[in-house]
Amino acid sequence: MESSAIFRLSSPPTFLSPKPNTIKSLPPRPWKHRTSQPTHVHCNKMFVPGFGEASPEAKAAKNLHQFFTYIAVKIVAAQLQSYNPEAHADLMEFLDRHSLNDGDKFCADLMRESSKHKSLALRILEVRSAYCKKDFEWDNLQRVAMKMVNESNTKLMREYVQETSHVES
């Protein structure tokens, strides 16, 4: 049984509703002719402070980009282990010397290591792109993330209520 902690409102609360226009329209003045109607901005999204130029989604996308590189390296390493042990050993040795924290830097460094390493880097780029486009389950990511948030919120609230309502005799 899955429940949602987000309630959708069929109409905005009264304090968010625009006030009715009670000012009577005056006859148009030629020197103050309006070329457009006033624009009303309706935003249903939360403002997230402290993210500067990038949105939270852009920050998450950057982390996913790094994660896709990590996944691609794992996939390529597993493939090489079974059919090209020498290339697998080269990749593992390179991994020991270079961090995967920045996937693009990792691949750039791998390309410049040697011609053998260049082909490994190109394979990683190919797998990263294919995994992102075809294999990553985007809908499942959203479902799992929402489920984790809901379960975590419920757990934390339950623990707090238990702590605060516990009466010692």
Side-chain angles (χ1 to χ4, degrees), residues 2 8 20 22 38-39 47 59 73 86 107 109 111 114 130 146 150 154 159 168:
E2 197 171 309
R8 296 200 186 268
T22 56
T39 304
F47 169 72
K59 298 271 182 162
V73 169
E86 183 183 325
C107 290
D109 291 346
M111 278 185 204
S114 73
M146 289 172 60
N150 288 335
T154 300
E159 288 172 355
E168 293 186 28

Coordinates of all heavy atoms in Angstrom, one line a residue, residues 2 8 20 22 38-39 47 59 73 86 107 109 111 114 130 146 150 154 159 168:
E2 N 0.8 2.1 -1.0 CA 1.6 3.2 -1.2 C 0.7 4.5 -1.0 O -0.3 4.5 -1.6 CB 2.2 3.2 -2.6 CG 3.4 4.1 -2.7 CD 4.1 3.9 -4.0 OE1 4.4 2.7 -4.3 OE2 4.4 4.8 -4.7
R8 N -2.8 17.2 -4.0 CA -3.0 18.1 -5.1 C -4.3 18.9 -4.8 O -5.3 18.3 -4.4 CB -3.2 17.4 -6.4 CG -1.9 16.7 -6.8 CD -1.9 16.4 -8.2 NE -0.8 15.6 -8.6 CZ 0.4 16.1 -9.1 NH1 0.5 17.4 -9.2 NH2 1.4 15.4 -9.4
P20 N -10.4 39.8 -7.7 CA -11.2 40.2 -8.9 C -10.9 41.7 -9.2 O -10.6 42.5 -8.4 CB -12.7 40.0 -8.4 CG -12.6 40.0 -6.9 CD -11.2 39.5 -6.6
T22 N -11.8 45.1 -9.6 CA -12.9 45.9 -9.1 C -12.8 47.3 -9.7 O -13.7 48.1 -9.5 CB -13.0 45.9 -7.6 OG1 -11.7 46.4 -7.1 CG2 -13.3 44.6 -7.0
P38 N -1.8 43.0 -19.2 CA -0.9 42.6 -18.1 C -0.7 41.1 -18.1 O -1.6 40.3 -18.3 CB -1.5 43.1 -16.8 CG -2.9 43.5 -17.2 CD -3.0 43.6 -18.7
T39 N 0.5 40.7 -17.7 CA 0.8 39.3 -17.7 C 0.7 38.8 -16.2 O 1.3 39.4 -15.3 CB 2.3 39.0 -18.1 OG1 2.4 39.6 -19.5 CG2 2.6 37.6 -18.2
F47 N 10.2 27.4 -5.1 CA 11.4 28.1 -5.3 C 12.5 27.4 -4.4 O 12.2 27.2 -3.3 CB 11.3 29.6 -4.8 CG 12.6 30.3 -4.8 CD1 13.3 30.6 -5.9 CD2 13.2 30.6 -3.6 CE1 14.5 31.2 -5.9 CE2 14.4 31.2 -3.5 CZ 15.1 31.5 -4.7
K59 N 21.6 20.0 -11.3 CA 22.6 19.4 -10.4 C 22.4 17.8 -10.4 O 23.4 17.1 -10.4 CB 22.5 19.9 -8.9 CG 22.7 21.4 -8.8 CD 24.2 21.7 -8.6 CE 24.4 23.2 -8.4 NZ 25.6 23.5 -7.7
V73 N 31.9 2.1 -17.2 CA 33.2 1.5 -16.8 C 33.0 0.1 -16.3 O 33.7 -0.8 -16.6 CB 34.0 2.4 -15.9 CG1 35.2 1.6 -15.3 CG2 34.4 3.7 -16.6
E86 N 43.6 -9.1 -21.2 CA 44.7 -8.1 -21.2 C 44.2 -6.7 -21.2 O 44.7 -5.9 -20.4 CB 45.6 -8.3 -22.5 CG 46.7 -7.4 -22.6 CD 47.5 -7.6 -23.9 OE1 47.6 -8.7 -24.4 OE2 48.0 -6.5 -24.4
C107 N 37.7 9.8 -18.7 CA 37.7 9.3 -20.1 C 38.7 10.1 -21.0 O 39.4 9.5 -21.8 CB 36.3 9.5 -20.7 SG 35.1 8.3 -20.1
D109 N 41.6 11.4 -19.9 CA 42.9 10.9 -19.5 C 43.1 9.5 -20.1 O 44.2 9.2 -20.5 CB 43.0 10.8 -18.0 CG 43.1 12.2 -17.3 OD1 43.3 13.2 -18.1 OD2 42.9 12.3 -16.1
M111 N 41.8 8.3 -22.9 CA 42.1 8.5 -24.3 C 43.5 8.8 -24.6 O 44.1 8.4 -25.6 CB 41.2 9.6 -24.9 CG 39.8 9.2 -25.2 SD 39.0 10.6 -26.0 CE 37.3 10.1 -25.7
S114 N 47.2 5.9 -24.2 CA 47.8 5.2 -25.3 C 46.8 4.8 -26.4 O 45.6 5.0 -26.1 CB 48.5 3.9 -24.8 OG 47.5 2.9 -24.5
A130 N 24.7 4.7 -24.8 CA 23.7 3.7 -25.0 C 22.9 3.4 -23.8 O 21.7 3.3 -23.8 CB 24.3 2.5 -25.6
M146 N 10.6 8.6 -5.3 CA 9.4 9.1 -4.5 C 9.1 8.1 -3.4 O 8.7 8.5 -2.3 CB 8.3 9.3 -5.5 CG 8.4 10.5 -6.4 SD 7.2 10.6 -7.7 CE 5.7 10.7 -6.8
N150 N 9.0 9.1 0.6 CA 7.8 8.8 1.4 C 8.1 7.9 2.6 O 7.7 8.2 3.7 CB 6.7 8.3 0.5 CG 6.1 9.3 -0.4 OD1 6.2 10.5 -0.1 ND2 5.5 8.8 -1.5
T154 N 8.0 9.0 6.6 CA 7.1 8.3 7.5 C 7.9 7.8 8.6 O 7.5 7.9 9.8 CB 6.4 7.2 6.7 OG1 5.6 7.8 5.7 CG2 5.4 6.4 7.7
E159 N 9.3 7.8 14.3 CA 10.3 7.8 15.4 C 10.2 9.0 16.3 O 10.3 8.9 17.5 CB 11.7 7.7 14.8 CG 12.0 6.4 14.2 CD 13.3 6.4 13.4 OE1 14.0 7.5 13.3 OE2 13.7 5.3 12.9
E168 N 7.4 8.3 30.7 CA 8.0 7.4 31.7 C 7.2 7.4 32.9 O 6.8 8.4 33.4 CB 9.4 7.8 31.9 CG 10.3 7.6 30.7 CD 11.8 7.8 31.0 OE1 12.2 7.6 32.2 OE2 12.5 8.2 30.1

